[in-house]
Amino acid sequence: MSLLDIDGLHASVNGEPILKDLSLRVEAGEIHAIMGPNGSGKSTLANVLAGRPGYEVTAGQVSFDGIGLAGVEPEARAQAGLFLAFQYPVEIPGVSNMEFLKAAWDSHRAAQGSQPESAVGFMKRARALAKGLGLNPEFLKRGVNEGFSGGEKKRNEILQLLLLEPKLAVLDETDSGLDIDALQTVAAGVNRFRSADNGVLLITHYQRLLNHIVPDRVHVLTEGRIVASGDKHLAEKLEAEGYAWLSG
Amino acid sequence: MAVGIEALQSLEAPPWLGAEGLTRCRQALGGKLVRETWKYSPLPKVTDALIDANVHQEPPDLALPPGTALHRFDKLDAPPRFGIDLNRYPLAGIVAARAGACWLIEVKRTPSRPLRLAAPGGRINAPLLVQVAPECRVDIEQEAAETADTAGFGALVLVLSLAADSEAHWATAELAPMVDQWSLLQAHLHGNAALTLNHQGAVANFRRQDINVVLDGQGARLSSVGAALICDGGRLDQQLVIEHASGGTVSRIKQHNLAAGRSRCTFNGRIHIHAGAVGADADLSNRNLALDPSAEVNTKPELEIYNDDVRCAHGATVGQLDAEALFYLLSRGLDPQQAQRLLSLGFLRDGLAGPFAERAATAFAAHFKGD
């Protein structure tokens, strides 16, 4: 049983077909990178997997950890261990980061039949992880992503990834807007997350992230379908030659 | 003429208000200006309630800190000007006539601790005038806990007069949602004086707040941050008039109101830049969240500008919970009810500031837990 099994997926946004017969398998312990030009459907794939309203699956099947995702609500997907790191994390003034993180963690534990972790223990863990990601623990007191720079928002996404310990992380252009230091920190966080029990679907435009997070497989998404797959060298070729050779 | 005004005929005006002043109030109650500003509130019902309400003539419940002095205003040989435009706020005259007393607190030097005023509760309180001397600062705190007396109708009239270079901070927490209430704050600021207002409250019955701040001196500044939760069946009507009467004056208004259930929330905020108020700088923001389709929100930010060299911004929003934020929380595993609760609470908390912010946040959280 694959961790993620996408078979012949078609999906539309506002009635417009975006994903067209996309198939992909991710096994536990693997990192798959999805690359592709603008508008190829990379973010649509991420949002479809997370169950975002407005993203309609019109054909095909997606199963996660052996469970079909059709009709499964976003919160149930998350509780089952599917995590989406947003390309544009939302700012939520008035809701502190710590409160949000604790609520998210408690909901995961409740879904597994566990009692909430003590606030003290959780805060200690969150602060330590934040520090490791170069996030000032003071950020945990602020509103969710409120006034964060682009890099801080992405670090905050990785903090959530590490805290929630999902089975599958879908990282939607987590490297966009990051300077070199932040890129390395975020990559270190993803590598820390990586284990034989979980998987990562890494959506990116640039090969530079893959210098720090070495993928097992690289796929090229064009016009809603995967047109090429390979190992990490495929990303290097794309970096050097672009996508034009694929359509030629 | 509005119902209830007949009953005012029997009122006797205190000497400092005079029969003429009371007559003006009676006339104003039937006038166009008052009818318009009371469009969303039951004026006849309020005037009737004012006639019937219990009266609290005693001095405000406070142990005055050193540096302040209390006087019975209406017994002074030469009382200061009350400073309220009775044509605009005739109910202030009615309250004064009913109360039969009026109190003056002089702040002669900066007190070491806040002035603590009793919440209006279900009674008419004698109007209070606070005069702050130059270069002094005063904090005024007023809190109504959920255990407050909720019977009857409460009324409060507070007049603040800030001398040059003085500062005042008035913070209120009205967390007794069942109290019916009308309140008026009239503030007059001279040069470089600064006023900070923090109002936070929960409303389950009827609450009407009138605020009139006159920035009447170069560099006078107002900052107001507030949040209100209007519970099912509640009616909140906020009427703000901020007057920039001098140059270089600054006002910042931020008000967050959340209307739940079958409630009604009205916000009317008017910024008036007088001719000659060169370089005035005003920013007014009113955000409203309607949690239920049957909730009603009325908001009207207004700018009235009589000179060219000003900076003014205003904005009002009425909406439901942000779909992006909701999905963000759901994508982290929070169930929809929990996510909505957290976002609602966050919206209100974003309008909290001052000494009662934490207490108000706790009260709001308790409300949402009980839903």
Side-chain angles (χ1 to χ4, degrees):
Chain A
M1 180 182 68
S2 300
L3 184 59
L4 178 68
D5 190 348
I6 304 174
D7 184 18
L9 179 65
H10 290 251
S12 299
V13 182
N14 296 325
E16 185 185 346
I18 306 290
L19 300 181
K20 302 159 188 168
D21 195 21
L22 189 150
S23 295
L24 175 68
R25 275 187 186 179
V26 178
E27 307 295 338
E30 290 182 346
I31 293 185
H32 288 232
I34 305 279
M35 302 182 77
N38 290 328
S40 57
K42 302 187 298 296
S43 290
T44 297
L45 173 62
N47 285 307
V48 165
L49 291 175
R52 183 190 283 265
Y55 289 72
E56 189 190 358
V57 173
T58 52
Q61 291 182 342
V62 180
S63 69
F64 168 62
D65 208 19
I67 301 165
L69 288 184
V72 177
E73 298 296 338
E75 64 275 17
R77 297 178 191 215
Q79 289 164 3
L82 199 158
F83 178 89
L84 169 64
F86 282 50
Q87 184 178 359
Y88 304 109
V90 183
E91 293 194 18
I92 311 179
V95 177
S96 84
N97 219 4
M98 186 64 94
E99 178 182 28
F100 157 63
L101 294 170
K102 180 74 164 64
W105 179 235
D106 287 350
S107 70
H108 280 69
R109 286 177 65 92
Q112 292 154 12
S114 305
Q115 291 296 311
E117 184 179 349
S118 78
V120 174
F122 178 81
M123 285 163 70
K124 198 173 167 185
R125 199 158 61 85
R127 280 199 202 102
L129 286 172
K131 205 171 167 187
L133 288 166
L135 265 177
N136 185 334
E138 286 298 305
F139 277 64
L140 297 171
K141 296 178 186 170
R142 285 170 46 181
V144 176
N145 294 317
E146 187 184 6
F148 287 22
S149 69
E152 287 160 350
K153 285 179 181 173
K154 297 299 175 76
R155 288 173 203 236
N156 201 27
E157 294 293 286
I158 300 303
L159 171 63
Q160 294 167 44
L161 170 72
L162 294 175
L163 273 170
L164 298 179
E165 300 170 346
K167 292 175 188 162
L168 176 69
V170 180
L171 309 182
D172 188 6
E173 297 196 27
T174 296
D175 53 335
S176 66
L178 296 183
D179 61 30
I180 294 168
D181 290 340
L183 183 76
Q184 288 177 351
T185 307
V186 164
V190 175
N191 286 325
R192 179 175 173 175
F193 166 73
R194 184 178 199 170
S195 82
D197 300 324
N198 59 38
V200 176
L201 196 58
L202 193 61
I203 293 170
T204 182
H205 269 294
Y206 305 108
Q207 191 266 338
R208 64 173 189 164
L209 179 63
L210 306 183
N211 289 334
H212 304 283
I213 305 170
V214 179
D216 298 288
R217 300 285 293 164
V218 174
H219 309 279
V220 181
L221 190 62
T222 303
E223 295 182 355
R225 60 175 67 90
I226 290 175
V227 295
S229 296
D231 61 14
K232 63 179 182 177
H233 299 298
L234 175 58
E236 291 163 5
K237 184 174 170 66
L238 291 170
E239 182 75 8
E241 301 178 22
Y243 296 105
W245 62 275
L246 285 163
S247 54
Chain B
M1 279 239 175
V3 178
I5 293 178
E6 290 76 10
L8 303 180
Q9 305 296 342
S10 60
L11 280 180
E12 278 187 30
W16 56 270
L17 180 63
E20 189 196 336
L22 193 55
T23 301
R24 203 145 29 100
C25 294
R26 291 186 187 118
Q27 289 169 346
L29 280 171
K32 191 180 168 195
L33 176 67
V34 172
R35 281 205 312 270
E36 278 183 6
T37 58
W38 281 80
K39 186 177 169 186
Y40 293 101
S41 291
L43 180 59
K45 197 174 156 185
V46 172
T47 50
D48 283 350
L50 284 174
I51 296 299
D52 293 339
N54 293 326
V55 173
H56 182 71
Q57 233 186 21
E58 301 309 305
D61 293 341
L62 49 87
L64 286 177
T68 61
L70 178 70
H71 309 280
R72 186 160 164 164
F73 175 93
D74 48 315
K75 301 285 186 196
L76 292 174
D77 291 338
R81 221 180 130 256
F82 198 47
I84 292 181
D85 177 357
L86 294 176
N87 290 319
R88 181 177 291 280
Y89 302 110
L91 292 185
I94 308 302
V95 167
R98 280 286 342 260
C102 183
W103 297 94
L104 165 67
I105 295 176
E106 284 183 286
V107 178
K108 297 172 178 173
R109 62 174 198 273
T110 298
S112 57
R113 57 180 170 76
L115 300 181
R116 294 201 173 87
L117 304 185
R123 65 197 186 189
I124 289 179
N125 289 257
L128 177 63
L129 169 60
V130 179
Q131 281 188 325
V132 186
E135 299 181 6
C136 289
R137 178 195 160 89
V138 65
D139 294 301
I140 304 170
E141 297 180 358
Q142 190 165 27
E143 182 184 21
E146 292 209 72
T147 53
D149 174 17
T150 57
F153 186 91
L156 174 83
V157 175
L158 175 64
V159 182
L160 285 175
S161 175
L162 303 188
D165 301 308
S166 68
E167 275 185 54
H169 182 182
W170 185 37
T172 67
E174 301 282 359
L175 302 170
M178 298 308 291
V179 173
D180 277 350
Q181 197 183 98
W182 171 73
S183 66
L184 167 66
L185 167 68
Q186 167 76 57
H188 200 100
L189 279 68
H190 292 93
N192 292 317
L195 174 62
T196 303
L197 303 177
N198 297 132
H199 297 281
Q200 35 250 330
V203 184
N205 276 9
F206 169 74
R207 188 168 303 159
R208 159 89 180 201
Q209 294 175 320
D210 283 285
I211 293 178
N212 180 204
V213 178
V214 184
L215 302 169
D216 193 10
Q218 184 78 26
R221 306 181 303 283
L222 166 70
S223 168
S224 176
V225 177
L229 164 65
I230 305 99
C231 311
D232 188 24
R235 299 282 182 271
L236 173 67
D237 185 354
Q238 296 173 310
Q239 301 282 329
L240 275 73
V241 180
I242 312 302
E243 299 183 53
H244 289 253
S246 296
T249 47
V250 179
S251 65
R252 296 285 180 268
I253 313 288
K254 173 177 162 180
Q255 181 69 37
H256 284 198
N257 292 334
L258 186 150
R262 290 173 62 84
S263 61
R264 185 163 75 188
C265 169
T266 300
F267 176 89
N268 188 0
R270 189 160 70 85
I271 305 283
H272 182 160
I273 313 277
H274 291 239
V278 176
D281 181 352
D283 194 319
L284 183 151
S285 160
N286 171 229
R287 290 182 61 203
N288 298 278
L289 202 53
L291 277 196
D292 192 287
S294 56
E296 177 186 327
V297 175
N298 309 293
T299 177
K300 190 166 87 166
E302 292 178 86
L303 296 175
E304 201 172 326
I305 302 171
Y306 293 99
N307 81 68
D308 295 333
D309 182 10
V310 297
R311 181 196 164 276
C312 285
H314 67 90
T317 60
V318 181
Q320 296 175 329
L321 293 173
D322 179 57
E324 281 289 309
L326 192 58
F327 176 65
Y328 191 71
L329 297 189
L330 297 179
S331 78
R332 298 301 183 249
L334 277 72
D335 67 53
Q337 268 191 329
Q338 192 184 10
Q340 287 170 11
R341 206 160 47 222
L342 204 52
L343 290 178
S344 301
L345 202 49
F347 173 82
L348 285 169
R349 281 186 193 143
D350 199 31
L352 296 181
F356 298 124
E358 204 173 321
R359 210 165 301 171
T362 304
F364 291 153
H367 170 86
F368 285 111
K369 267 187 191 160
D371 267 0

